[in-house]
Amino acid sequence: MATDWLGSIVSINCGDSLGVYQGRVSAVDQVSQTISLTRPFHNGVKCLVPEVTFRAGDITELKILEIPGPGENQHFGDLHQTELGPSGVGYQVGVNQNGMGKLVKKPTSSSSAPQNIPKRTDLKSQDVAVSPQQQQCSKSYVDRHVESLNQSKSFRRRHNSWSSSSRHPNQATPKKSGLKNGQMKSKDDECFGDDIEEIPDTDFDFEGNLALFDKAAVFEEIDTYERRSGTRSRGIPSERPTRYRHDENILESEPIVYRRITVPHNVSKEFCTDSGLVVPSVSYELHKKLLSVAEKHGLTLERRLEMTGVCASQMALTLLGGPNRLNPKNVHQRPTVALLCGPHVKGAQGISCGRHLANHDVQVILFLPNFVKMLESITNELSLFSKTQGQQVSSLKDLPTSPVDLVINCLDCPENAFLRDQPWYKAAVAWANQNRAPVLSIDPPVHEVEQGIDAKWSLALGLPLPLGEHAGRVYLCDIGIPQQVFQEVGINYHSPFGCKFVIPLHSA
């Protein structure tokens, strides 16, 4: 009868001195009153020996965790993984007060459950006596244990027989899905059958292995190779031909000269472009002389006004939002620009800019005070502006009271400083300061002359004047002055514009 329990997974409590053991029953000797467990676990930790033998006197409590099915006890050597949680149910065998064995079915706790007892093949049995006590135990004690186990096994067989007989005759017997137990075990063995004793008990020494790698020497070797060849390498450098990037020039070029423009007088202020080229400022007298020589060579005032109007309108369109604002889908959101012009050449430049803006579907409101006699350039520009949809006003009351999108200032001119005392000029400056719109100044005067309107952007023509902080961010536009004209006035000039007509300048 004892052989019927071979292969069962049990938990044996040997008291506080020896602890709790779990494993599969491999042998039960009624003569010597011993029971052997294969692949044992001691207090949840795998034992180093493959088999442990217990004497009956050492056993305080024995729990049956799993009973093998019919035909499985002869294959008790093939262990499989068993996971028992808090909801697992086992059989507890104890000793009552009368000295009789008692079988109690109770849930087993997770503390005494075996931890994933894996399969192992080719085990060599080794009997190890773990009891320190050499005492004789009565034969009846183990017999009572065996008898209790037999009773529980008979009870399970009767329960299965009763379940089979109580099934309806027409009810089909459910078929087991999957393969047979033997085939399932063989597949489990192929996947999970590795011996866990091969796993090392000690942790991997990361610091010790990292100390064997001389990083400083390897990195120094890599840096030396990169400095020699100019390329990046991985691992041990090897001799390779030099490779170049797609944007790297393979021909040796001359060093870049950033100061390509020089002027004949002392420079009070310098600017630089986005590419680093230095653009010096010129005095108002030298700038006026440059425009006069250019006009003598054919760059007339009309041409200069047209170039200034085109460049200023392009910059204004960009400030208004460019293609995101000016497209056919936004016809209901036309930008509004207020243009403040004086009766001089600076004002004529502003009128030319307003004409180009009106041609690009911008709502332009031009303010120009009434004068008895106007310059010919202003008369010609007003004639062209009147052919657009732009609006011309001479009174500040006709200017919008709500903020506009952009204010273009062309009121100031160094040659007409007396206009600052006129009532219309002061009223225009007050309106511009009260309006919350940003201001763009076209060809503003030098910083010595106090300007009534603070600009956010300023557009200089040809070469910049020494503008102060009131001018805001300075931009430079190309009005088409040839290089020899610059040389004629003593300026060594090389164009800083590149592929653009308007470029930003930064204070050097």
Side-chain angles (χ1 to χ4, degrees), residues 37 66 147 184 209 234 247 249 326 370 389 396 460 481:
L37 301 183
E66 181 180 337
E147 183 179 357
M184 290 295 293
N209 284 270
R234 298 295 182 184
D247 58 346
N249 189 7
L326 301 170
N370 288 326
Q389 297 182 356
L396 293 174
I481 301 177

Side-chain angles (χ1 to χ4, degrees), residues 445-475:
V446 294
H447 66 281
E448 286 83 1
V449 180
E450 183 180 358
Q451 189 174 5
I453 303 177
D454 291 334
K456 188 175 182 179
W457 307 282
S458 294
L459 182 63
L461 310 181
L463 285 176
L465 299 176
L467 301 175
E469 295 180 357
H470 65 277
R473 187 173 182 181
V474 181
Y475 286 78

Side-chain angles (χ1 to χ4, degrees), residues 223-388:
D223 294 339
T224 303
Y225 177 78
E226 290 180 354
R227 287 194 299 267
R228 184 175 66 253
S229 61
T231 59
R232 286 190 171 272
S233 61
R234 298 295 182 184
I236 300 177
S238 59
E239 296 296 335
R240 298 180 181 177
T242 304
R243 296 183 180 180
Y244 296 92
R245 301 189 308 270
H246 67 282
D247 58 346
E248 187 176 1
N249 189 7
I250 63 175
L251 300 178
E252 295 183 1
S253 58
E254 298 180 357
I256 301 176
V257 179
Y258 293 99
R259 190 177 297 275
R260 300 181 179 181
I261 303 175
T262 57
V263 294
H265 58 76
N266 295 329
V267 179
S268 59
K269 189 173 184 179
E270 288 184 342
F271 301 89
C272 63
T273 64
D274 291 339
S275 58
L277 299 178
V278 179
V279 179
S281 61
V282 295
S283 62
Y284 177 75
E285 292 75 13
L286 182 59
H287 192 271
K288 184 179 179 180
K289 181 179 179 181
L290 176 65
L291 297 180
S292 176
V293 174
E295 186 175 358
K296 184 181 66 175
H297 286 286
L299 187 61
T300 60
L301 178 60
E302 290 77 9
R303 288 187 174 183
R304 193 171 76 240
L305 292 178
E306 191 68 17
M307 284 295 300
T308 304
V310 171
C311 293
S313 62
Q314 287 182 352
M315 181 177 177
L317 291 174
T318 302
L319 297 177
L320 291 173
N324 297 327
R325 179 78 179 273
L326 301 170
N327 59 66
K329 296 181 180 179
N330 288 338
V331 293
H332 60 288
Q333 296 180 349
R334 292 177 55 191
T336 302
V337 175
L339 196 60
L340 307 179
C341 298
H344 39 67
V345 177
K346 307 289 185 181
Q349 295 174 352
I351 300 173
S352 176
C353 174
R355 170 169 55 87
H356 289 287
L357 290 176
N359 291 337
H360 286 266
D361 205 17
V362 177
Q363 186 177 356
V364 180
I365 302 175
L366 171 62
F367 168 76
L368 181 65
N370 288 326
F371 280 86
V372 178
K373 185 178 180 181
M374 292 283 188
L375 296 177
E376 182 181 0
S377 58
I378 294 180
T379 304
N380 295 336
E381 291 297 333
L382 285 177
S383 177
L384 291 174
F385 182 81
S386 63
K387 304 303 179 181
T388 64

